[in-house]
Short mmCIF file of all heavy atoms in Angstrom, two decimals:
data_model
loop_
_atom_site.label_atom_id
_atom_site.label_comp_id
_atom_site.label_asym_id
_atom_site.label_seq_id
_atom_site.Cartn_x
_atom_site.Cartn_y
_atom_site.Cartn_z
N ILE I 1 -9.14 -6.49 -7.93
CA ILE I 1 -8.16 -6.95 -7.03
C ILE I 1 -8.10 -8.47 -7.02
O ILE I 1 -8.91 -9.31 -6.60
CB ILE I 1 -8.82 -6.70 -5.52
CG1 ILE I 1 -9.06 -5.16 -5.36
CG2 ILE I 1 -7.80 -7.04 -4.44
CD1 ILE I 1 -9.92 -4.77 -4.17
N PRO I 2 -7.05 -9.02 -7.64
CA PRO I 2 -6.73 -10.33 -7.79
C PRO I 2 -6.28 -11.01 -6.50
O PRO I 2 -5.40 -10.37 -5.81
CB PRO I 2 -5.79 -10.53 -8.92
CG PRO I 2 -5.05 -9.29 -8.87
CD PRO I 2 -5.98 -8.21 -8.36
N VAL I 3 -6.88 -12.09 -6.12
CA VAL I 3 -6.38 -12.87 -4.93
C VAL I 3 -6.14 -14.33 -5.30
O VAL I 3 -7.03 -15.12 -5.46
CB VAL I 3 -7.48 -12.78 -3.76
CG1 VAL I 3 -6.98 -13.64 -2.56
CG2 VAL I 3 -7.71 -11.34 -3.35
N VAL I 4 -4.88 -14.56 -5.66
CA VAL I 4 -4.48 -15.96 -6.13
C VAL I 4 -4.32 -16.85 -4.94
O VAL I 4 -4.77 -18.05 -4.97
CB VAL I 4 -3.18 -15.88 -6.99
CG1 VAL I 4 -2.71 -17.18 -7.39
CG2 VAL I 4 -3.48 -14.88 -8.20
N ASP I 5 -3.79 -16.38 -3.83
CA ASP I 5 -3.62 -17.17 -2.66
C ASP I 5 -4.82 -16.90 -1.73
O ASP I 5 -4.94 -15.81 -1.17
CB ASP I 5 -2.33 -16.78 -1.96
CG ASP I 5 -2.04 -17.54 -0.65
OD1 ASP I 5 -3.04 -18.36 -0.25
OD2 ASP I 5 -1.02 -17.38 0.00
N ILE I 6 -5.78 -17.90 -1.66
CA ILE I 6 -6.95 -17.76 -0.90
C ILE I 6 -6.75 -17.35 0.58
O ILE I 6 -7.67 -16.71 1.11
CB ILE I 6 -7.88 -18.96 -1.07
CG1 ILE I 6 -9.30 -18.49 -0.79
CG2 ILE I 6 -7.47 -20.07 -0.13
CD1 ILE I 6 -10.35 -19.55 -1.45
N GLU I 7 -5.58 -17.68 1.16
CA GLU I 7 -5.26 -17.25 2.50
C GLU I 7 -5.28 -15.72 2.67
O GLU I 7 -5.29 -15.27 3.79
CB GLU I 7 -3.96 -17.93 2.89
CG GLU I 7 -4.06 -19.46 3.06
CD GLU I 7 -5.07 -19.95 4.01
OE1 GLU I 7 -5.35 -19.28 5.11
OE2 GLU I 7 -5.74 -20.92 3.75
N GLU I 8 -5.07 -14.99 1.52
CA GLU I 8 -5.05 -13.52 1.53
C GLU I 8 -6.52 -12.92 1.51
O GLU I 8 -6.67 -11.68 1.60
CB GLU I 8 -4.18 -13.04 0.43
CG GLU I 8 -2.72 -13.35 0.58
CD GLU I 8 -1.86 -13.02 -0.55
OE1 GLU I 8 -2.47 -12.35 -1.57
OE2 GLU I 8 -0.69 -13.43 -0.67
N LEU I 9 -7.46 -13.73 1.31
CA LEU I 9 -8.81 -13.26 0.99
C LEU I 9 -9.41 -12.48 2.27
O LEU I 9 -10.01 -11.54 2.15
CB LEU I 9 -9.76 -14.39 0.55
CG LEU I 9 -11.14 -14.00 0.15
CD1 LEU I 9 -11.09 -12.88 -0.93
CD2 LEU I 9 -11.96 -15.23 -0.39
N ALA I 10 -9.23 -13.11 3.43
CA ALA I 10 -9.76 -12.48 4.63
C ALA I 10 -9.30 -11.18 4.88
O ALA I 10 -10.03 -10.13 5.16
CB ALA I 10 -9.52 -13.41 5.89
N GLU I 11 -7.97 -11.01 4.78
CA GLU I 11 -7.35 -9.60 4.89
C GLU I 11 -7.80 -8.70 3.84
O GLU I 11 -7.99 -7.49 4.07
CB GLU I 11 -5.83 -9.81 4.85
CG GLU I 11 -5.10 -8.71 5.51
CD GLU I 11 -5.33 -8.55 7.03
OE1 GLU I 11 -5.74 -9.56 7.70
OE2 GLU I 11 -5.10 -7.39 7.45
N THR I 12 -8.03 -9.11 2.64
CA THR I 12 -8.50 -8.28 1.50
C THR I 12 -9.88 -7.82 1.81
O THR I 12 -10.15 -6.65 1.56
CB THR I 12 -8.39 -9.09 0.15
OG1 THR I 12 -7.06 -9.50 0.02
CG2 THR I 12 -8.85 -8.17 -1.04
N ILE I 13 -10.78 -8.72 2.26
CA ILE I 13 -12.10 -8.31 2.57
C ILE I 13 -12.05 -7.23 3.75
O ILE I 13 -12.70 -6.29 3.73
CB ILE I 13 -12.97 -9.50 3.02
CG1 ILE I 13 -13.20 -10.42 1.73
CG2 ILE I 13 -14.30 -9.08 3.63
CD1 ILE I 13 -13.83 -11.75 2.12
N LYS I 14 -11.28 -7.59 4.77
CA LYS I 14 -11.22 -6.66 5.96
C LYS I 14 -10.74 -5.25 5.50
O LYS I 14 -11.23 -4.31 5.97
CB LYS I 14 -10.17 -7.30 6.95
CG LYS I 14 -10.01 -6.44 8.10
CD LYS I 14 -8.97 -7.15 9.12
CE LYS I 14 -8.64 -6.15 10.30
NZ LYS I 14 -7.54 -6.74 11.04
N ASN I 15 -9.82 -5.18 4.63
CA ASN I 15 -9.25 -3.96 4.19
C ASN I 15 -9.83 -3.34 2.83
O ASN I 15 -9.27 -2.49 2.21
CB ASN I 15 -7.71 -4.06 4.11
CG ASN I 15 -7.06 -4.27 5.39
OD1 ASN I 15 -7.38 -3.72 6.35
ND2 ASN I 15 -6.17 -5.29 5.45
N TYR I 16 -10.86 -3.97 2.46
CA TYR I 16 -11.49 -3.68 1.09
C TYR I 16 -11.55 -2.10 0.89
O TYR I 16 -11.11 -1.67 -0.12
CB TYR I 16 -12.81 -4.26 0.88
CG TYR I 16 -13.41 -3.98 -0.40
CD1 TYR I 16 -12.98 -4.67 -1.62
CD2 TYR I 16 -14.40 -3.03 -0.53
CE1 TYR I 16 -13.70 -4.33 -2.78
CE2 TYR I 16 -15.03 -2.77 -1.80
CZ TYR I 16 -14.62 -3.42 -2.92
OH TYR I 16 -15.15 -3.11 -4.07
N ASP I 17 -12.22 -1.44 1.82
CA ASP I 17 -12.49 0.03 1.65
C ASP I 17 -11.22 0.82 1.56
O ASP I 17 -11.20 1.74 0.65
CB ASP I 17 -13.37 0.55 2.73
CG ASP I 17 -14.74 0.00 2.84
OD1 ASP I 17 -15.31 -0.30 1.66
OD2 ASP I 17 -15.32 -0.19 3.85
N TYR I 18 -10.25 0.47 2.24
CA TYR I 18 -8.90 1.09 2.07
C TYR I 18 -8.17 0.81 0.78
O TYR I 18 -7.71 1.68 0.13
CB TYR I 18 -7.96 0.64 3.27
CG TYR I 18 -6.67 1.26 3.19
CD1 TYR I 18 -6.36 2.50 3.55
CD2 TYR I 18 -5.55 0.39 2.80
CE1 TYR I 18 -5.04 3.06 3.43
CE2 TYR I 18 -4.26 0.98 2.65
CZ TYR I 18 -4.02 2.29 3.08
OH TYR I 18 -2.75 2.75 2.89
N ILE I 19 -8.35 -0.45 0.36
CA ILE I 19 -7.72 -0.87 -0.86
C ILE I 19 -8.37 -0.14 -2.05
O ILE I 19 -7.57 0.32 -2.94
CB ILE I 19 -7.75 -2.44 -1.09
CG1 ILE I 19 -6.94 -3.14 -0.03
CG2 ILE I 19 -7.31 -2.87 -2.50
CD1 ILE I 19 -7.30 -4.65 0.07
N VAL I 20 -9.57 -0.01 -2.19
CA VAL I 20 -10.32 0.57 -3.32
C VAL I 20 -10.29 2.03 -3.28
O VAL I 20 -10.75 2.65 -4.31
CB VAL I 20 -11.71 -0.11 -3.44
CG1 VAL I 20 -11.70 -1.52 -3.61
CG2 VAL I 20 -12.68 0.39 -2.41
N ALA I 21 -9.91 2.71 -2.21
CA ALA I 21 -10.07 4.19 -2.10
C ALA I 21 -9.52 4.90 -3.25
O ALA I 21 -10.08 5.87 -3.78
CB ALA I 21 -9.45 4.59 -0.79
N ASP I 22 -8.42 4.51 -3.79
CA ASP I 22 -7.72 5.24 -4.92
C ASP I 22 -7.77 4.42 -6.26
O ASP I 22 -7.07 4.89 -7.23
CB ASP I 22 -6.32 5.56 -4.56
CG ASP I 22 -6.21 6.56 -3.39
OD1 ASP I 22 -7.11 7.37 -3.30
OD2 ASP I 22 -5.25 6.38 -2.59
N MET I 23 -8.50 3.33 -6.33
CA MET I 23 -8.60 2.69 -7.60
C MET I 23 -9.65 3.11 -8.55
O MET I 23 -10.66 3.79 -8.14
CB MET I 23 -8.94 1.11 -7.23
CG MET I 23 -7.73 0.44 -6.57
SD MET I 23 -8.15 -1.18 -6.14
CE MET I 23 -8.02 -1.93 -7.63
N LYS I 24 -9.42 2.93 -9.80
CA LYS I 24 -10.36 3.20 -10.87
C LYS I 24 -11.71 2.34 -10.68
O LYS I 24 -11.54 1.13 -10.58
CB LYS I 24 -9.72 2.88 -12.25
CG LYS I 24 -10.58 3.24 -13.39
CD LYS I 24 -9.78 2.89 -14.70
CE LYS I 24 -10.59 3.10 -15.87
NZ LYS I 24 -9.85 2.75 -17.07
N LYS I 25 -12.81 3.01 -10.61
CA LYS I 25 -14.07 2.28 -10.16
C LYS I 25 -14.94 1.88 -11.43
O LYS I 25 -16.00 1.41 -11.16
CB LYS I 25 -14.90 3.15 -9.19
CG LYS I 25 -14.14 3.23 -7.91
CD LYS I 25 -14.92 3.95 -6.84
CE LYS I 25 -14.38 3.99 -5.44
NZ LYS I 25 -13.04 4.49 -5.45
N SER I 26 -14.56 2.10 -12.60
CA SER I 26 -15.39 1.65 -13.71
C SER I 26 -14.49 1.43 -14.96
O SER I 26 -13.31 1.74 -14.97
CB SER I 26 -16.44 2.64 -14.00
OG SER I 26 -15.87 3.86 -14.54
N ILE I 27 -15.12 0.94 -15.97
CA ILE I 27 -14.43 0.75 -17.24
C ILE I 27 -15.15 1.52 -18.33
O ILE I 27 -16.33 1.70 -18.20
CB ILE I 27 -14.33 -0.75 -17.58
CG1 ILE I 27 -15.64 -1.38 -17.70
CG2 ILE I 27 -13.42 -1.51 -16.71
CD1 ILE I 27 -15.63 -2.81 -18.26
#
């Protein structure tokens, strides 16, 4: 999950579980 604008970091942390729910979890 790239966060280039640091002002988006708080929202990304808050919604982390929702964001990662359907993402590939390993390489």
Side-chain angles (χ1 to χ4, degrees):
I1 305 166
V3 175
V4 176
D5 180 353
I6 203 157
E7 295 299 322
E8 297 174 5
L9 186 55
E11 201 65 25
T12 303
I13 293 168
K14 179 181 172 187
N15 295 313
Y16 179 81
D17 293 327
Y18 176 76
I19 294 167
V20 301
D22 295 324
M23 292 179 73
K24 183 178 175 183
K25 292 187 174 53
S26 66
I27 58 173

